[in-house]
Amino acid sequence: MADEPLVLGIETSCDETGVGIVRGHTLLADAVASSVDEHARYGGVVPEVASRAHLEAMVPTIQRALKQAGVSAGDLDGIAVTAGPGLAGALLVGVSAAKAYAYALGKPLYGVNHLASHICVDQLEHGALPEPTMALLVSGGHSSLLLAPDITGDVRPLGATIDDAAGEAFDKVARVLGLGFPGGPAIDRHARDGDPAAIAFPRGLTGGRDPLYDFSFSGLKTAVARWVEARRRDGRDVPVADVAASFQEAVVDVLTRKAIRACKDNGVDHLMIGGGVAANSRLRSLALERCEGAGIRLRVPRPGLCTDNGAMVAALGAEMVARGRASSTFDLPADSSLPVTEVSVPGHTHDHVHEAARDNLHG
Amino acid sequence: MLLLAFDTATPAVTAALHDGERVLAESTVIDARRHGELLVPAVDRVLSTAGRALADVTGVVVGVGPGPYTGLRVGLVTAASFGDALGVPVHGVCTLDGLAWAAGEAGLEGPFTVATDARRKEVYWACYDGPAVRVTEPAVNRPADLPADVLALPAVGAGAALYPDAFTDRRPDPAHQSAGSLGALAAHRLAAGEAFAPALPLYLRRPDAQVPAGYKAVLPT
């Protein structure tokens, strides 16, 4: 429908320069330039390397997305950008670009939350989100259970990891097994040939007195490392496929168990899963199996929309426009630790006295 | 001609409009930690002060550093985005050249050095033979490691002020980068038909990242 908001979204919170264009719930373009290969030899994302790559890729990726969508920048109803959370220097490149385009084109600017965007992207795949939405968000930087009565303004954290994010555990275990970076796809691949019940790795925070919706993956990672090292010390082969499958099973078992518990406790009959780890094939299949068993409808976007991308930011931006939410001002900051409860960063009144004082000080 | 000039490679967040003859408006705020917040509002301010529209701008002039990277990138990505959105050329100018031009405007003649703060006890620096003629490539060093003849020259910039023991002939002006001076220098170059640097960052250092030595075992050895 032509009267739905046409929004361009920019995402630079980590190592992907993502630019997406949506019209309402319809995906028109999803252009991503990744610097992941440059980070591989360091075994993790190097912030300065990521920031440099964002600067190089920013304008070409925007041009590519506009071309893909077949729209002109002047037709846009708004420009949305990830304002946080994420790597400070990386976020700043996207935020600065979004401001410049919005200002030059005379379009409203929407600084939005990365985590809420990961949820909202499902509107491009499965239509309007139910209200409330129960979402399990799992990536290299986050593992959270979120209840969102209104994705443009009310997102409530039910629980989160108390140590490592799920994706971080995949990276660390992949390092133990010598499978390289990023670890998620490698573990997923090797696990397909392994037995998920071969080794009984611990399920973190699943005891009777443990917090219901929080996660812990640090102990699991250490348990895997100890098991593998003991094996190597004894001069025995490490069954990589079985270790990968058993580790992966321990992660997805806890994730799905707690997510379904959260749905039941809150009377929500569906579950949305987003974030890079939602691209994991075993998480997708076990979640489907358990949701079916519990009478819960599962919503998981295709893998390409689970990992970081600009379309998810555009999706949330379009929803903000559709609901008439306030846009951001041009002094929008990039906030590396933006809380999940802040879905967007609207205009804030500035401390003019402070600014004037600075001028006088240095004038 | 209407040039929109800005520079975020130093603690100054500075923007100006230059019409080829003179600076129409300038805004300079010193805040090393808020380049991203302050730049577009500064552009907005100079446009409204001068009573001009962004659509009238015929070219963007941006300081390409060297300077601390996070702030530097704000200016460069903003310039590239304006250039694309407005369909106008983006002219890169070495940040130190802007300071040199401003030193000339302040009356400094002959050979001199420009030095800015590169943090980590180092300075970004270059030598000039007059305000428009740079005679060395921009570089980053500890002040004490610079050649004695460089250190003996009149010196401008925050890098010189920070290390008075090394830079013995310090001049107070310009204390900070000025987009007005940067725009004036760009207008001078355009009039002379000189080429501009590409609007790409002068980092001068590699990212600080170590390839991990190897897997660190959990079990005691």
Side-chain angles (χ1 to χ4, degrees):
Chain A
M1 279 175 282
D3 56 348
E4 287 183 309
L6 180 68
V7 173
L8 178 143
I10 298 176
E11 152 65 34
T12 62
S13 70
C14 193
D15 60 337
E16 323 274 5
T17 311
V19 180
I21 298 174
V22 309
R23 191 186 293 282
H25 296 170
T26 309
L27 176 64
L28 301 183
D30 178 22
V32 179
S34 178
S35 60
V36 66
D37 294 344
E38 294 175 58
H39 303 286
R41 69 196 187 98
Y42 300 109
V45 173
V46 180
E48 176 61 20
V49 172
S51 299
R52 290 185 180 196
H54 286 311
L55 175 60
E56 284 174 32
M58 195 70 258
V59 169
T61 310
I62 287 174
Q63 290 170 335
R64 191 150 55 92
L66 286 166
K67 199 174 166 194
Q68 224 178 69
V71 299
S72 122
D75 299 335
L76 296 168
D77 294 308
I79 293 181
V81 62
T82 303
L87 301 171
L91 287 166
L92 193 53
V93 175
V95 168
S96 299
K99 282 183 195 179
Y101 276 98
Y103 183 74
L105 298 166
K107 308 294 182 188
L109 170 75
Y110 295 89
V112 301
N113 191 298
H114 178 78
L115 303 177
S117 301
H118 265 306
I119 299 173
C120 202
V121 71
D122 196 50
Q123 298 205 132
L124 305 178
E125 200 82 316
H126 300 110
L129 286 169
E131 294 186 333
T133 286
M134 180 67 72
L136 170 65
L137 213 74
V138 273
S139 69
H142 309 279
S143 301
S144 304
L145 269 168
L146 303 168
L147 185 63
D150 171 0
I151 196 59
T152 65
D154 186 3
V155 176
R156 302 169 191 178
L158 299 181
T161 180
I162 60 167
D163 41 54
D164 291 352
E168 205 177 342
F170 274 87
D171 285 338
K172 288 175 174 175
V173 165
R175 200 177 307 157
V176 171
L177 293 172
L179 302 180
F181 173 86
I187 298 257
D188 195 346
R189 208 162 46 243
H190 284 272
R192 278 173 204 168
D193 303 321
D195 175 6
I199 308 150
F201 287 129
R203 267 61 171 165
L205 293 188
T206 52
R209 291 187 196 170
D210 287 332
L212 278 178
Y213 309 130
D214 284 340
F215 302 103
S216 166
F217 298 108
S218 172
L220 169 61
K221 166 208 70 187
T222 306
V224 175
R226 293 178 73 95
W227 193 92
V228 170
E229 286 172 28
R231 212 50 202 200
R232 286 186 183 136
R233 180 185 285 179
D234 296 345
R236 298 162 67 197
D237 283 347
V238 175
V240 172
D242 283 347
V243 173
S246 299
F247 157 75
Q248 177 175 276
E249 196 67 15
V251 174
V252 304
D253 176 24
V254 177
L255 288 175
T256 52
R257 211 191 296 180
K258 293 201 172 206
I260 284 172
R261 176 72 193 262
C263 285
K264 286 182 175 167
D265 290 353
N266 289 276
V268 178
D269 64 358
H270 69 275
L271 172 67
M272 187 271 157
I273 306 184
V277 178
N280 179 274
S281 67
R282 180 59 185 152
L283 175 58
R284 297 171 83 94
S285 67
L286 186 62
L288 187 61
E289 185 186 316
R290 289 187 171 172
C291 279
E292 277 175 356
I296 291 168
R297 192 180 151 225
L298 180 66
R299 294 173 61 127
V300 196
R302 79 190 84 143
L305 292 179
C306 289
T307 48
D308 291 348
N309 63 81
M312 66 188 206
V313 181
L316 181 52
E319 195 60 35
M320 306 264 309
V321 175
R323 297 195 185 203
R325 299 292 179 220
S327 59
S328 304
T329 47
F330 285 107
D331 59 354
L332 170 73
D335 184 348
S336 60
S337 53
L338 186 69
V340 65
T341 47
E342 291 182 31
V343 173
S344 67
V345 186
H348 53 279
T349 39
H350 222 49
D351 188 351
H352 287 289
V353 179
H354 177 70
E355 204 169 0
R358 274 181 187 282
D359 273 330
N360 295 340
L361 209 63
H362 299 281
Chain B
M1 181 196 302
L2 186 64
L3 298 175
L4 170 63
F6 47 83
D7 188 302
T8 59
T10 70
V13 182
T14 179
L17 279 178
H18 197 286
D19 68 357
E21 300 289 327
R22 62 192 185 92
V23 177
L24 303 181
E26 171 163 350
S27 161
T28 301
V29 177
I30 311 301
D31 189 339
R33 303 184 60 81
R34 297 207 304 142
H35 294 96
E37 287 100 310
L38 298 174
L39 181 57
V40 170
V43 169
D44 188 50
R45 205 153 46 234
V46 298
L47 285 167
S48 66
T49 302
R52 305 295 291 263
L54 191 60
D56 301 337
V57 167
T58 58
V60 176
V61 178
V62 63
V64 299
Y69 317 143
T70 302
L72 170 61
R73 278 188 286 264
V74 169
L76 285 166
V77 79
T78 302
S81 303
F82 276 156
D84 182 44
L86 301 171
V88 298
V90 179
H91 307 300
V93 176
C94 171
T95 293
L96 303 175
D97 291 2
L99 284 159
W101 186 262
E105 290 172 332
L108 191 57
E109 292 171 6
F112 61 90
T113 301
V114 175
T116 60
D117 183 13
R119 302 175 183 167
R120 304 185 203 174
K121 298 178 181 168
E122 293 184 322
V123 292
Y124 296 116
W125 66 278
C127 289
Y128 291 81
D129 191 3
V133 184
R134 177 155 44 78
V135 293
T136 65
E137 286 300 307
V140 59
N141 294 99
R142 285 182 174 240
D145 295 341
L146 296 188
D149 56 336
V150 168
L151 292 171
L153 291 174
V156 299
L162 263 175
Y163 302 101
D165 293 346
F167 296 94
T168 47
D169 186 7
R170 298 175 306 283
R171 305 298 167 92
D173 292 319
H176 292 290
Q177 178 68 304
S178 145
S181 301
L182 198 74
L185 170 58
H188 167 82
R189 285 187 181 166
L190 279 170
E194 290 177 32
F196 284 87
L200 300 173
L202 289 176
Y203 289 122
L204 305 190
R205 290 186 187 123
R206 291 175 179 281
D208 285 329
Q210 299 286 326
V211 175
Y215 168 65
K216 206 167 77 199
V218 171
L219 289 181
T221 45

